[in-house]
Amino acid sequence: MVAQLENKSVNSTVSLSHTVKGLVQVFTSSHRSFFTNVMAQALRIAGQGTPVLIVQFLKGGIRQGQNNPVVLGQNLNWIRCDLPRCIDTPQLDDTETEALHSLWQYTLSVVNEGKYSLVVLDELSLAMNFGLIPETEVLEFLAKRPQNVDIILTGAEMPKSILDLADEITEIRRPNRL
């Protein structure tokens, strides 16, 4: 067992004279199974003491919603839409539409409060492409967010307007093999 020694220069908080501008990152792929990369980044950052929120707009099935987040450690909250199923079509009933819009409004609210330093918006491109969350609202949200907040957007077929304002784009694709 190794003893932990307190070193005031290491354990003290640093006060910066300026705010570090947050990034807009896009992870996109036409294939499934790339969320693991985003999750690894979120866990690493939360493990370093930074508050992280993961929002999965189209995942349901566990009746979670913003009032019942999964809390991983002290710094990572993970919420899904309060739906009995996953959304895979733009046709929603009134209850599903309300649940999705409630989650979107909650996300806007907590980001603007500055509660989280990293916010992952999973499958947001599909929600926009289905017409469930207006692209113009997402663009406005990104422009008006607190400037120190990092945002990660995921999903296939990310709208060009989002790609144009992104600071980093990661396209995950399968290699061409003969």
Side-chain angles (χ1 to χ4, degrees), residues 51-124:
V52 175
L53 175 66
I54 297 174
V55 182
Q56 290 187 297
F57 287 100
L58 303 183
K59 297 282 193 262
I62 57 175
R63 296 250 178 216
Q64 186 184 24
Q66 63 265 23
N67 296 322
N68 191 26
V70 170
V71 179
L72 300 174
Q74 298 175 356
N75 297 310
L76 194 144
N77 289 348
W78 184 356
I79 55 178
R80 288 179 161 195
C81 206
D82 187 11
L83 297 170
R85 68 179 182 98
C86 291
I87 298 172
D88 59 357
T89 175
Q91 286 77 36
L92 305 181
D93 66 27
D94 291 342
T95 303
E96 293 170 329
T97 300
E98 176 57 36
L100 181 68
H101 287 193
S102 177
L103 183 57
W104 175 239
Q105 292 305 313
Y106 172 81
T107 301
L108 297 176
S109 173
V110 297
V111 169
N112 288 325
E113 288 172 12
K115 186 174 179 179
Y116 299 97
S117 295
L118 170 63
V119 178
V120 176
L121 304 175
D122 187 41
E123 295 184 339
L124 189 61

Side-chain angles (χ1 to χ4, degrees), residues 2 23 33 35 38 46 51 54 57 78 87 99 132 140 144 147 149 154:
V2 177
L23 299 175
S33 303
F35 185 70
V38 174
I54 297 174
F57 287 100
W78 184 356
I87 298 172
L132 302 173
E140 183 179 342
K144 292 184 177 181
Q147 288 304 299
V149 176
T154 74

Side-chain angles (χ1 to χ4, degrees), residues 130-151:
F130 280 168
L132 302 173
I133 297 177
E135 186 176 326
T136 55
E137 283 187 27
V138 175
L139 291 168
E140 183 179 342
F141 159 75
L142 293 172
K144 292 184 177 181
R145 77 186 195 284
Q147 288 304 299
N148 63 317
V149 176
D150 289 319
I151 303 288

Side-chain angles (χ1 to χ4, degrees), residues 28-31 34 37 170-176:
T28 186
S29 177
S30 59
H31 306 285
F34 70 92
N37 298 327
T170 303
E171 180 184 3
I172 300 171
R173 51 193 160 120
R174 293 187 178 158
N176 291 331

